[in-house]
Amino acid sequence: MPRIVPIQRTVSAQASIPARRTTSADFGGGTGLFEAGQTITNVATKLQDIQQRQEISDVQTRLAQTRANLTIELDQTLRSAVPGDMSVAGKFLEKSQNQIEALGVNVSTRGGRQAYETGKATLLADIQRSVFLAQADLAGKKAKQDFIAIKEADRNTLLNDPTQFWSVLDGLVASLKDPAGQFALMPAAARLQLATEAKQELALSAVQGFIRMSPEYGKKLLTEGRFDKFLDADNKNALLREADIALRGRSIEESRLKKAQEDAAKAKREADKSDFVGRVY
């Protein structure tokens, strides 16, 4: 009789059945789904990169346009500004900062924000420098206007009283050198030029005043070289001619007055003679 070998159980009813990890292949996907996920991520990254690059370009464009507009506006503001108006800088800077700050309101990407912040800092610094230079220019124009007004007033003084020449000249030069005055803000070369011109013009007015007072004395001052350090040859010769004209004019006037007096005396004598003859006869 054949021998029957009994089957031995290797897994008990209580033992767990070994499990295998489920893969996408179990659902017919293979590696396709993983690759699709990577593709979506790459597309999103590329879209973000494109958005960032576009925003950077937009920011740079708007900053450049704002720079051009503010430069034009500053030029127009200066053309209409009153020399010495100290409010120009503050008002324009506030307006400029508001416009520049508005450019960054809707910037959302990291690269766009970085481009904006960098461009903003540069633009604000440039605008501030331009505005302060413009304010200094307005102050310089005001100082020059004031100097001309002072000089013209001093010239009128000397035409009527030339004896004040040295006092007036010293006062004008001192105002140019005063470190606390507005002229101190002007370049040294510009102040030197103003002083040189003022000395010459004040000397001209003083000599003209002396000629008005006494042509002989005025001519004497010129021939003795009393004002040579202030007057060039052309101005000196012109004043000498003016003195000679005054002398001739005075001589003519004296001759006219003398003749008028003689004529008046002769007429009086004739009248007296006629009256005497009339009384006799």
Side-chain angles (χ1 to χ4, degrees):
M1 174 184 295
R3 183 182 177 185
I4 299 173
V5 179
I7 298 173
Q8 300 292 327
R9 290 185 177 181
T10 58
V11 179
S12 65
Q14 292 80 14
S16 61
I17 300 173
R20 180 176 59 84
R21 183 181 298 275
T22 302
T23 68
S24 60
D26 293 325
F27 301 93
T31 59
L33 289 178
F34 175 74
E35 293 175 351
Q38 284 188 323
T39 301
I40 293 173
T41 302
N42 290 339
V43 169
T45 301
K46 288 180 179 179
L47 287 175
Q48 290 176 355
D49 182 67
I50 292 172
Q51 180 186 1
Q52 178 170 269
R53 292 179 186 277
Q54 288 181 343
E55 192 168 62
I56 290 172
S57 179
D58 290 342
V59 165
Q60 292 170 340
T61 300
R62 292 199 299 270
L63 285 169
Q65 291 172 340
T66 301
R67 178 187 292 272
N69 292 337
L70 289 175
T71 300
I72 293 172
E73 288 180 26
L74 179 59
D75 180 68
Q76 294 173 342
T77 299
L78 292 177
R79 291 179 184 274
S80 60
V82 177
D85 184 358
M86 298 304 296
S87 66
V88 171
K91 291 179 180 178
F92 194 85
L93 282 176
E94 181 179 1
K95 177 182 179 181
S96 301
Q97 188 160 3
N98 290 338
Q99 288 187 26
I100 296 171
E101 291 289 348
L103 298 178
V105 173
N106 296 319
V107 177
S108 58
T109 66
R110 180 178 180 182
R113 174 57 57 179
Q114 183 176 2
Y116 166 71
E117 294 295 340
T118 301
K120 180 183 77 170
T122 301
L123 180 54
L124 280 175
D126 290 344
I127 291 297
Q128 287 175 353
R129 182 175 61 254
S130 297
V131 169
F132 289 140
L133 288 174
Q135 186 72 74
D137 182 64
L138 287 176
K141 289 179 179 178
K142 177 63 164 57
K144 191 169 183 179
Q145 285 183 354
D146 289 346
F147 183 80
I148 291 173
I150 294 171
K151 182 180 63 178
E152 291 305 310
D154 288 343
R155 292 192 68 181
N156 287 330
T157 297
L158 296 177
L159 283 171
N160 293 282
D161 183 4
T163 63
Q164 297 185 47
F165 173 72
W166 289 109
S167 177
V168 168
L169 178 61
D170 290 344
L172 190 59
V173 173
S175 67
L176 282 173
K177 295 181 178 180
D178 184 3
Q182 63 176 343
F183 302 117
L185 300 176
M186 299 176 66
R191 283 187 282 116
L192 179 60
Q193 182 179 357
L194 288 178
T196 301
E197 293 174 356
K199 290 176 182 179
Q200 178 173 294
E201 293 179 31
L202 292 181
L204 278 168
S205 296
V207 175
Q208 287 173 332
F210 281 120
I211 291 173
R212 285 185 181 185
M213 292 174 57
S214 171
E216 294 92 349
Y217 185 64
K219 186 173 183 178
K220 179 182 179 183
L221 291 174
L222 289 169
T223 55
E224 291 178 352
R226 299 287 186 88
F227 289 88
D228 281 359
K229 67 178 180 179
F230 303 118
L231 302 174
D232 57 27
D234 291 338
N235 284 324
K236 182 176 180 178
N237 290 332
L239 288 170
L240 285 170
R241 287 193 296 271
E242 185 175 335
D244 289 336
I245 291 171
L247 286 170
R248 286 196 297 271
R250 192 179 69 176
S251 178
I252 292 171
E253 180 64 15
E254 288 175 350
S255 297
R256 186 189 68 78
L257 290 175
K258 182 178 180 180
K259 187 176 184 306
Q261 290 173 353
E262 290 175 351
D263 291 343
K266 181 178 179 180
K268 186 175 185 306
R269 288 196 300 270
E270 292 294 333
D272 292 343
K273 181 179 179 181
S274 298
D275 182 61
F276 176 74
V277 172
R279 289 182 180 182
V280 171
Y281 295 98

